[in-house]
């Protein structure tokens, strides 16, 4: 299994880097995690064939994680894809995604391939393929929108962090989070790899807590270009023995796991 950082940027668009997205690839299955604005170009830039993607998992529906989906599906249609595409979404978001695709004129009758919605529930394991699964736990990234629930009752505020498990490795991906507590959603697991976002919490909070989580290796992602100098300084302040285990991820970085 290989993890490729398709993009590492925050919600801020930049010419040099793509919005945050990961690709888990193996001989059996290729899972894209998030498909925000510009995902089709980001995949081309990383040399990924659209047809090789078996499924797309959404962490939440902020546009930098989600809005590239219809455009990517159009690309798949244009290369005459015929194998189905799995779309993994939390069950409160399935209708939103399905409607969004229909309203983008992506009608099942005209697609040439099937979109298979695979909904998941909080804290329930989803098997993706033989010896590859994930567990989603809701985080507080969208809880600041709670106050709008009365006005927009159909709004789902589900946003998750994930534990991915392969036969031998455990990978935690925080995705976008909202509070320090979200870093401890998988407190019961010591991950081989922790992939943490660094935009929504102070970097010192993230780094201090990462050390206490004690992952095998940590990769920081979801940062803006202007954050790079400060992140470099903070990484340089880590104790020497930790420094080689915490890295700033870059677009195109690939990890064999
Ligand atoms: Zn977000």
């Amino acid at each position: 299994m290989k993890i490729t950082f398709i993009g590492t940027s925050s919600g801020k668009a930049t010419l040099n880097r793509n919005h945050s997205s990961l690709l888990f690839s193996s001989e059996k299955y290729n899972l894209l995690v998030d498909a925000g604005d510009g995902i089709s170009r980001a995949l081309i830039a990383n040399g990924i064939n659209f047809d090789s993607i078996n499924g797309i998992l959404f962490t939440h529906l902020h546009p930098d994680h989600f809005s590239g989906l219809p455009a990517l599906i159009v690309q798949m249609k244009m290369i005459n894809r015929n194998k189905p595409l799995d779309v993994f979404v939390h069950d409160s978001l399935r209708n939103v995604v399905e409607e969004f695709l229909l309203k983008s004129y992506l009608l099942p009758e005209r697609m040439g391939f099937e979109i298979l919605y695979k909904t998941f529930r909080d804290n329930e394991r989803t098997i993706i393929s033989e010896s590859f699964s994930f567990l989603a736990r809701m985080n507080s990234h969208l809880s600041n929108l709670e106050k709008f629930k009365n006005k927009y009752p159909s709004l789902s505020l589900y946003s998750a962090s994930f534990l991915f498990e392969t036969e031998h490795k455990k990978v935690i991906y925080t995705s976008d989070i909202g509070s320090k507590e979200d870093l401890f959603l998988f407190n019961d697991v010591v991950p081989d790899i922790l992939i943490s976002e660094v935009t929504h919490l102070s970097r010192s909070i993230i780094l201090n807590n990462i050390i206490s989580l004690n992952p095998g290796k940590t990769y920081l992602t979801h940062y803006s270009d202007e954050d790079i100098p400060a992140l470099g300084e903070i990484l340089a302040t880590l104790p020497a023995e930790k420094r080689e285990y915490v890295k700033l991820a870059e677009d195109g970085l690939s990890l064999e796991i």
Side-chain angles (χ1 to χ4, degrees), residues 172 174 183-187 189-191 194 206-216 218:
I172 290 177
T174 64
L183 287 171
F184 298 98
L185 285 171
F186 295 98
N187 225 355
V189 174
V190 178
L194 170 67
I206 292 177
L207 286 178
N208 290 333
N209 289 286
I210 280 169
I211 291 175
S212 71
L213 287 168
N214 208 21
T218 299

Side-chain angles (χ1 to χ4, degrees), residues 60 62 64-65 141-142 176 200 222:
H60 64 300
H62 266 150
D64 55 319
H65 296 261
H141 181 53
L142 298 174
D176 289 14
H200 295 97
H222 202 64

Side-chain angles (χ1 to χ4, degrees), residues 156-211:
S156 163
L157 300 184
Y158 191 83
S159 168
S161 298
F162 291 83
L163 168 66
F164 294 94
E165 282 192 76
T166 68
E167 203 174 340
H168 305 292
K169 300 282 171 157
K170 292 178 171 44
V171 178
I172 290 177
Y173 177 38
T174 64
S175 181
D176 289 14
I177 50 179
S179 68
K180 179 179 149 185
E181 287 65 39
D182 291 336
L183 287 171
F184 298 98
L185 285 171
F186 295 98
N187 225 355
D188 44 337
V189 174
V190 178
D192 299 285
I193 294 175
L194 170 67
I195 300 170
S196 178
E197 72 117 327
V198 283
T199 284
H200 295 97
L201 287 179
S202 91
R203 277 128 217 166
S204 57
I205 286 186
I206 292 177
L207 286 178
N208 290 333
N209 289 286
I210 280 169
I211 291 175

